[in-house]
Amino acid sequence: MKTFVLLCSVISIVSPKIIDLSSSKNVSWSFVNNNRTITGKATVPGGIYSDLHSAGIIGDILSEDNDVRTRWVAYDVWSYTAKFNISSKDLQAKVIHLVFEGLDTSGFITLNKHIPIGSFNNMFVRYVFDIKDKLQEGENELYVSFLSPVVAALIRSNKVFAAPDCVPAVYNGECHANQLRKMQASFGWDWGPAFPSVGIWRPVYIELYNGAIIRSVTTHITKVGSKWDLRLKVYLESSQNRTLLAGVLSASLQVEGKQTLRKWTQVNATTAADGTLVVELSLNVSDNVVRLWWPNGYGEQPLYKLKLQFTSDSDMDNPSYKTINVGFRTVELVESDASEILGNGTAGRGLTFYFKVNDHPLFMKGSNWIPSNILPELGESQKNVVDNLLKAARDVNMAMLRVWGGGVYESDYFYDKCDELGILIWQDFLFACSMYPTDNYFISSVREEIEQNVLRLQHHPSIAVWAGNNENEVALRGNWYDTYPLFDKYKTEYIKLYVDTIKPIVEDLDPGRRYLVSSPSNGRESERENYIATNPYDPHYGDTHYYNYFADNWDMDTYPKTRFASEYGFQSMPSLKTMRTATNKDEDFHVRSKYSEHRQHSPNGYSYIEAQITRRMKLKEDDPKYFEKFVFYSQISQAMAIKTETELYRQDQANWYTMGALYWQLNDVWQAPSWSGIEYGGKWKMLHYFAKSFFAPVLVSPRLCSGDDIEVYLINDRFVPITDAWITVDIYNWKSVGPISTRQFPAQANPLSSKLQENADVHLRDYNKEEVFVRFTLQAQGVKSPPNYIFPVALKSVVGLQTPNIQILVSNLVTRRNHDRLEYAVNIRVDTVVPFLWLDTDIEGRFEENGLIVTEPQSVVKFLCNKHVSPRVLQKSITHQYYVN
Ligand SMILES: *[C@@H]1O[C@H](CO)[C@@H](O)[C@H](O)[C@H]1NC(C)=O
Ligand SMILES: *[C@@H]1O[C@H](CO)[C@@H](O)[C@H](O)[C@H]1NC(C)=O
Ligand SMILES: *[C@@H]1O[C@H](CO)[C@@H](O)[C@H](O)[C@H]1NC(C)=O
Ligand SMILES: *[C@@H]1O[C@H](CO)[C@@H](O)[C@H](O)[C@H]1NC(C)=O
Ligand SMILES: *[C@@H]1O[C@H](CO)[C@@H](O)[C@H](O)[C@H]1NC(C)=O
Ligand SMILES: *[C@@H]1O[C@H](CO)[C@@H](O)[C@H](O)[C@H]1NC(C)=O
Ligand SMILES: *[C@@H]1O[C@H](CO)[C@@H](O)[C@H](O)[C@H]1NC(C)=O
């Protein structure tokens, strides 16, 4: 017993010792405004809007028009103060660093009333201050003061203006976000409100140690024969004064079969001027002790723990540790002569643009990620929201998300989750829809930002590619901000920022990943054309963004070809249920209400939605349920538009080598019309349900051509071919249930491809097109594929569609699947065809499918949830909507 106690007492203390300065019993923070009339208890990490809300000074910021009513907050100067105690023992540490992982955005810091610590100007930078000589025994007071970001942006703009003047007036936003290294969307966007936040949005703490600590590690993994060459670069940090570092760095990697691979190296070198030292270490990992990491839908995501330890000769009792997960995979962005795949015709001009993962070209299915909350501190702290969104992406067969350049470099938690779920990340650097200044002050801050964030994120297997900015090449080429008279100046600055500053840092720290200068761009071709291509939207190169609100978006012919669609979308309304979390005033629930106008940031947005709806569906202004239908139909319209466009891109894998479809946008930051598939609060729109089908690994995808012919593609995202398969074509008429004609033809597709089924002779010449629609299903051994449909004419013109009788019964049988998920069988009985049957309930959970095309008298859809509910209660709670003329 005694020996045991003794053993425990000599176990070393991990270095660094952390004195956490987050709000806690021991550290209490307060905030105060400039004229000291508003003060309260603060939460750190946090932000001023959250604190004012908690203090009861402002209401729910997302309610009604509180975004503009609370705007005064962004014009004031806010200061945060904390008191904490330090012991004399702590003061003996050789290195005492004050670390802020995130300060939003500009201001200064003092300690003990007057001792200056430093200033800050970049929300994405970790600030480390040496406070050894400034800290005192006993009580200390830390003071952090934030400038108004709106004023700070204006002051800089007056000195180093860069277009545009401001965001469009309908955003109710603020101007010159491009002057600050701050989440660009916090000054307003077309899908979100402006909340120009300030605050200590990420953790703050004091680090004490005597030797050195491991700050970050990068992993450089290549496959050499049957071995993985795992080269590590370990970034040690010490006192910010140059010092000699001696000690031992060791690495251990836990692989399959409970084995551990170990490696160590002796360190004895002088740190760089900033107190850092990079130490390299390599491990050979045989490919029979680790399994491949795959994106979602293509395989599993095995991750292996890599534990690093640095023991300083000068502080042997207190080693520093760092643990990360390693995934073994290769990702390559292939831009090669397209004629090699597509021949010498039009399609074969230019370059391919596709991701090759573990040597297989994979079509990237997914969406675009915007911040999970408009307040960055909540985007960090509300992990369940991040979880739910990423799992929702996983559940609908997405394999890639683009972290868009107007948001933030997300939390470590976010990328860890992506590693686990197999969601590849296209990571933009945080510059969006603007020209940017390039004065020294700005450039040096950007340099630090890029370095730190690449070092922090580089090791994640989920990260597939870096891109310098969002849409800034097309904005300059397309004269979005009237920059033609200064084209050369802006082009020079563009190159200075993305090419001369950012590119070399990324390529030095992360030579294994492609750095694209812009998104969208023509990739290598943009580079060849000196970075501002003549036509950055050239369909023969790179990625494209495409939006068209004027054409018929249920028609595949609307969409131009592309190698890779990294943005495309249409707006829809959030559900009434979600809207009610922002307002409960009846008069707000109208398309042209002041409330609705306030929430719509896309100029003419409602007219476009209305035009989309009425091109295909019947909706009369004098309908007593106009608004309710407008909301519902907008979701049908959006879901069908994105389905159509996405399937076209997947079909085009066959003839254009289109290799990616990331629609705009996955999520929302408030209850407003937007391009999202998931509403603020987490409710799935019809689009997100449809994504599960249109992104299905195996899909029969038809295309209605002129002359009433229907082309049929079989899309196969699996590694094995589909043979011995049949496609069934059922013709239905609108006024009954069950098919009026059924035909089958043999089908096949190669692995990882889309194939036009040449022998499928499907046409509608024998039918009155107003009366019928077509359903396509696949029968193949061991292959699941959702049904697909062709609606030959606009729904508003169909003949025979009846008002249905619908019965919904929840059976008593409840099944429990993995992760404790409960499944209820919801039985649907109908007496006629029901298009777009939408089921809803207030019980937390979701249906397995929704927006159903009901063609049979009886069908079943599952309801999935985590908590038990009585089947009767569930049945009573289910409401439904559907389309009828
Ligand atoms: C708070 O202070 C007490 C002693 O004053 C100490 O025992 C405790 O560990 C501290 N808690 C934290 C979270 O630092
Ligand atoms: C103090 O600041 C608040 C908030 O910005 C403002 O509403 C108020 O008018 C100011 N009071 C004085 C006396 O300046
Ligand atoms: C610091 O310690 C002193 C003496 O124990 C105590 O009075 C004071 O409340 C402590 N301050 C904080 C912020 O914990
Ligand atoms: C680091 O160097 C500076 C200037 O040489 C000196 O003022 C400071 O005290 C040193 N800090 C430490 C922790 O040694
Ligand atoms: C470390 O290097 C220095 C000179 O660079 C040398 O004097 C010293 O003996 C070395 N220490 C160890 C432990 O090798
Ligand atoms: C890894 O293996 C290769 C040959 O298989 C060898 O050349 C290299 O030195 C090894 N590297 C390490 C770090 O053991
Ligand atoms: C395309 O044309 C070039 C030059 O005419 C020829 O060398 C090449 O073989 C052709 N490629 C294919 C795939 O036909």
Side-chain angles (χ1 to χ4, degrees):
M1 219 35 215
K2 197 144 197 187
T3 330
F4 177 69
V5 171
L6 222 99
L7 265 175
C8 276
S9 68
V10 299
I11 277 180
S12 53
I13 295 162
V14 172
S15 189
K17 177 183 175 182
I18 301 283
I19 299 177
D20 188 1
L21 299 183
S22 302
S23 303
S24 67
K25 258 196 292 191
N26 293 1
V27 185
S28 90
W29 284 88
S30 62
F31 67 84
V32 65
N33 70 331
N34 199 31
N35 64 23
R36 313 202 136 257
T37 54
I38 304 171
T39 181
K41 194 169 147 41
T43 300
V44 169
I48 191 60
Y49 286 99
S50 298
D51 287 331
L52 290 169
H53 179 57
S54 299
I57 294 163
I58 59 174
D60 172 2
I61 62 162
L62 297 184
S63 179
E64 301 184 5
D65 55 357
N66 276 356
D67 56 320
V68 292
R69 285 182 189 279
T70 58
R71 190 61 50 80
W72 59 270
V73 174
Y75 285 85
D76 211 331
V77 170
W78 297 95
S79 303
Y80 282 74
T81 310
K83 289 200 173 95
F84 57 92
N85 273 332
I86 292 289
S87 68
S88 59
K89 191 165 155 261
D90 287 337
L91 285 178
Q92 285 160 19
K94 285 213 182 84
V95 181
I96 306 181
H97 282 168
L98 174 62
V99 181
F100 290 92
E101 294 204 338
L103 289 161
D104 178 15
T105 301
S106 316
F108 63 91
I109 303 158
T110 65
L111 193 62
N112 300 331
K113 300 280 185 213
H114 47 79
I115 306 170
I117 296 295
S119 63
F120 52 90
N121 60 19
N122 188 328
M123 171 181 177
F124 311 120
V125 162
R126 184 189 58 242
Y127 286 91
V128 179
F129 301 104
D130 186 339
I131 55 168
K132 173 145 173 81
D133 300 339
K134 295 164 184 164
L135 216 50
Q136 64 195 26
E137 189 183 336
E139 200 163 85
N140 288 268
E141 185 185 281
L142 180 61
Y143 175 84
V144 185
S145 189
F146 295 91
L147 305 178
S148 153
V150 178
V151 174
L154 178 65
I155 290 169
R156 274 187 48 77
S157 179
N158 288 337
K159 278 195 267 183
V160 285
F161 174 81
D165 280 322
C166 200
V167 292
V170 287
Y171 292 14
N172 300 309
E174 297 295 337
C175 312
H176 312 302
N178 57 348
Q179 294 293 344
L180 302 183
R181 292 314 298 144
K182 178 174 179 60
M183 175 170 117
Q184 299 290 282
S186 75
F187 276 35
W189 216 264
D190 56 3
W191 42 257
F195 284 101
S197 51
V198 299
I200 303 168
W201 73 293
R202 279 180 167 160
V204 50
Y205 47 87
I206 297 171
E207 283 179 344
L208 306 109
Y209 54 93
N210 294 317
I213 57 162
I214 303 171
R215 176 64 75 190
S216 43
V217 54
T218 57
T219 58
H220 307 270
I221 304 177
T222 46
K223 190 81 194 283
V224 188
S226 61
K227 276 183 183 160
W228 291 97
D229 178 18
L230 170 58
R231 285 184 305 115
L232 306 172
K233 282 191 179 179
V234 182
Y235 291 75
L236 300 177
E237 193 172 287
S238 183
S239 155
Q240 281 173 314
N241 286 5
R242 187 180 288 264
T243 44
L244 184 73
L245 272 189
V248 173
L249 178 71
S250 64
S252 67
L253 180 71
Q254 283 170 29
V255 294
E256 296 290 329
K258 296 189 174 141
Q259 298 177 73
T260 304
L261 309 180
R262 294 174 210 277
K263 196 74 187 281
W264 63 274
T265 187
Q266 188 90 42
V267 177
N268 184 23
T270 307
T271 61
D274 62 353
T276 60
L277 178 66
V278 187
V279 181
E280 297 191 28
L281 203 59
S282 291
L283 281 125
N284 269 336
V285 184
S286 161
D287 70 359
N288 56 31
V289 297
V290 292
R291 290 173 299 131
L292 283 176
W293 185 98
W294 288 99
N296 178 40
Y298 295 99
E300 293 179 8
Q301 292 80 40
L303 295 167
Y304 300 95
K305 256 194 188 9
L306 174 73
K307 197 168 174 186
L308 296 156
Q309 175 175 348
F310 180 70
T311 308
S312 217
D313 284 355
S314 60
D315 192 20
M316 308 235 321
D317 290 344
N318 306 312
S320 171
Y321 295 99
K322 184 158 187 92
T323 302
I324 59 166
N325 283 325
V326 177
F328 290 86
R329 95 287 182 275
T330 59
V331 176
E332 196 189 336
L333 178 54
V334 182
E335 293 169 88
S336 61
D337 182 354
S339 74
E340 286 166 13
I341 293 177
L342 298 162
N344 270 335
T346 312
R349 275 175 41 208
L351 300 174
T352 61
F353 190 91
Y354 67 92
F355 289 92
K356 208 175 189 181
V357 183
N358 299 328
D359 277 331
H360 293 277
L362 303 184
F363 187 102
M364 288 300 150
K365 299 175 287 195
S367 185
N368 281 265
W369 171 274
I370 61 167
S372 60
N373 198 291
I374 197 63
L375 298 182
E377 68 270 18
L378 299 184
E380 288 285 298
S381 63
Q382 295 180 348
K383 296 196 165 83
N384 63 323
V385 175
V386 171
D387 260 6
N388 289 339
L389 287 172
L390 292 176
K391 282 183 182 153
R394 188 264 322 263
D395 287 347
V396 301
N397 299 310
M398 291 186 182
M400 179 178 268
L401 291 173
R402 172 170 172 260
V403 175
W404 166 75
V408 299
Y409 306 102
E410 293 288 338
S411 60
D412 294 339
Y413 183 81
F414 172 93
Y415 298 95
D416 283 341
K417 272 284 149 196
C418 292
D419 293 347
E420 269 171 43
L421 296 170
I423 307 288
L424 283 172
I425 295 297
W426 172 308
Q427 180 70 53
D428 282 0
F429 288 103
L430 304 182
F431 304 85
C433 299
S434 281
M435 306 298 110
Y436 280 85
T438 55
D439 53 306
N440 288 343
Y441 175 85
F442 192 83
I443 290 284
S444 66
S445 184
V446 165
R447 198 170 275 138
E448 183 140 36
E449 164 193 332
I450 304 298
E451 240 170 59
Q452 285 189 7
N453 284 287
V454 173
L455 285 179
R456 177 170 72 90
L457 302 180
Q458 189 276 351
H459 69 269
H460 290 281
S462 53
I463 295 181
V465 67
W466 305 103
N469 64 71
N470 171 75
E471 297 183 347
N472 295 349
E473 181 185 347
V474 286
L476 180 55
R477 173 53 74 199
N479 196 30
W480 291 7
Y481 309 122
D482 297 322
T483 50
Y484 266 173
L486 293 170
F487 182 87
D488 289 340
K489 165 185 136 70
Y490 280 123
K491 181 174 170 177
T492 304
E493 291 177 353
Y494 180 95
I495 292 172
K496 181 173 177 189
L497 181 58
Y498 307 111
V499 182
D500 298 341
T501 303
I502 298 177
K503 189 168 188 273
I505 298 173
V506 180
E507 291 180 346
D508 175 45
L509 298 176
D510 192 15
R513 277 191 191 91
R514 176 87 165 96
Y515 168 78
L516 296 162
V517 178
S518 184
S519 168
S521 81
N522 292 346
R524 298 268 179 232
E525 177 60 17
S526 281
E527 292 169 24
R528 204 182 60 81
E529 295 179 34
N530 204 13
Y531 304 103
I532 305 293
T534 315
N535 171 20
Y537 289 128
D538 191 327
H540 301 92
Y541 298 97
D543 61 325
T544 54
H545 293 181
Y546 182 75
Y547 295 92
N548 180 345
Y549 308 134
F550 299 98
D552 178 0
N553 48 49
W554 294 32
D555 179 355
M556 283 191 175
D557 290 337
T558 292
Y559 304 104
K561 298 200 174 292
T562 177
R563 298 281 188 230
F564 195 106
S566 53
E567 273 194 25
Y568 55 101
F570 296 92
Q571 277 199 333
S572 70
M573 303 291 286
S575 65
L576 296 178
K577 194 172 148 187
T578 293
M579 283 173 63
R580 281 191 206 103
T581 65
T583 174
N584 50 25
K585 296 193 188 123
D586 284 347
E587 67 264 30
D588 291 345
F589 289 73
H590 296 279
V591 177
R592 300 294 169 189
S593 68
K594 254 183 93 176
Y595 168 85
S596 294
E597 294 290 355
H598 179 77
R599 296 257 158 173
Q600 176 57 279
H601 285 190
S602 176
N604 299 319
Y606 290 125
S607 310
Y608 297 140
I609 296 176
E610 191 186 17
Q612 269 177 60
I613 291 174
T614 55
R615 205 175 276 121
R616 287 278 170 171
M617 290 178 272
K618 194 169 275 177
L619 180 59
K620 292 259 164 62
E621 295 267 5
D622 57 2
D623 192 316
K625 291 198 162 172
Y626 181 83
F627 187 69
E628 193 183 324
K629 286 187 180 170
F630 185 88
V631 169
F632 179 50
Y633 291 2
S634 77
Q635 291 207 4
I636 297 176
S637 183
Q638 179 198 34
M640 283 300 291
I642 304 290
K643 169 190 188 294
T644 306
E645 191 166 354
T646 305
E647 285 192 28
L648 174 78
Y649 295 141
R650 293 190 71 189
Q651 291 176 5
D652 276 356
Q653 185 176 354
N655 56 40
W656 198 264
Y657 218 56
T658 300
M659 285 300 279
L662 312 179
Y663 66 77
W664 185 268
Q665 72 206 58
L666 182 76
N667 53 321
D668 254 344
V669 294
W670 71 334
Q671 314 89 333
S674 92
W675 294 258
S676 79
I678 301 178
E679 299 175 5
Y680 178 73
K683 190 175 166 64
W684 292 16
K685 288 180 178 174
M686 198 178 290
L687 167 59
H688 201 76
Y689 281 105
F690 272 38
K692 192 178 166 198
S693 295
F694 64 66
F695 281 148
V698 176
L699 183 67
V700 181
S701 179
R703 173 172 190 167
L704 183 62
C705 306
S706 57
D708 300 346
D709 286 319
I710 296 175
E711 289 180 350
V712 183
Y713 288 80
L714 181 55
I715 297 164
N716 180 19
D717 283 348
R718 306 183 321 153
F719 296 111
V720 290
I722 298 173
T723 52
D724 295 331
W726 293 84
I727 289 175
T728 303
V729 183
D730 292 311
I731 311 256
Y732 288 81
N733 76 20
W734 286 105
K735 64 168 181 271
S736 57
V737 286
I740 56 170
S741 136
T742 294
R743 289 187 41 212
Q744 280 199 321
F745 57 87
Q748 63 88 202
N750 293 329
L752 304 176
S753 72
S754 151
K755 186 163 171 54
L756 176 64
Q757 302 299 301
E758 305 276 2
N759 58 2
D761 173 28
V762 187
H763 61 82
L764 293 171
R765 285 188 287 276
D766 304 334
Y767 299 93
N768 180 351
K769 280 192 293 178
E770 280 73 32
E771 291 175 2
V772 297
F773 65 95
V774 195
R775 185 172 92 138
F776 300 82
T777 48
L778 182 77
Q779 288 75 44
Q781 197 74 44
V783 180
K784 267 200 191 158
S785 170
N788 210 340
Y789 301 90
I790 284 279
F791 305 117
V793 300
L795 291 178
K796 65 183 178 186
S797 314
V798 305
V799 173
L801 186 58
Q802 316 277 315
T803 300
N805 288 304
I806 300 172
Q807 254 193 311
I808 292 178
L809 300 163
V810 178
S811 57
N812 281 318
L813 194 69
V814 184
T815 47
R816 190 177 280 276
R817 277 216 311 221
N818 48 346
H819 312 303
D820 268 353
R821 196 157 83 163
L822 295 164
E823 289 184 356
Y824 295 80
V826 178
N827 301 283
I828 300 163
R829 291 193 192 144
V830 298
D831 59 351
T832 184
V833 163
V834 187
F836 303 103
L837 177 65
W838 178 256
L839 304 175
D840 212 341
T841 169
D842 285 334
I843 291 169
E844 204 171 308
R846 66 169 174 85
F847 295 91
E848 193 156 43
E849 279 112 36
N850 216 340
L852 309 156
I853 312 298
V854 185
T855 55
E856 307 305 316
Q858 300 202 18
S859 51
V860 183
V861 63
K862 286 176 187 152
F863 179 74
L864 315 172
C865 58
N866 296 321
K867 277 191 220 126
H868 192 274
V869 48
S870 106
R872 273 194 34 193
V873 169
L874 176 59
Q875 181 175 316
K876 273 185 84 174
S877 78
I878 295 176
T879 58
H880 63 258
Q881 280 172 286
Y882 51 83
Y883 179 79
V884 72
N885 279 322

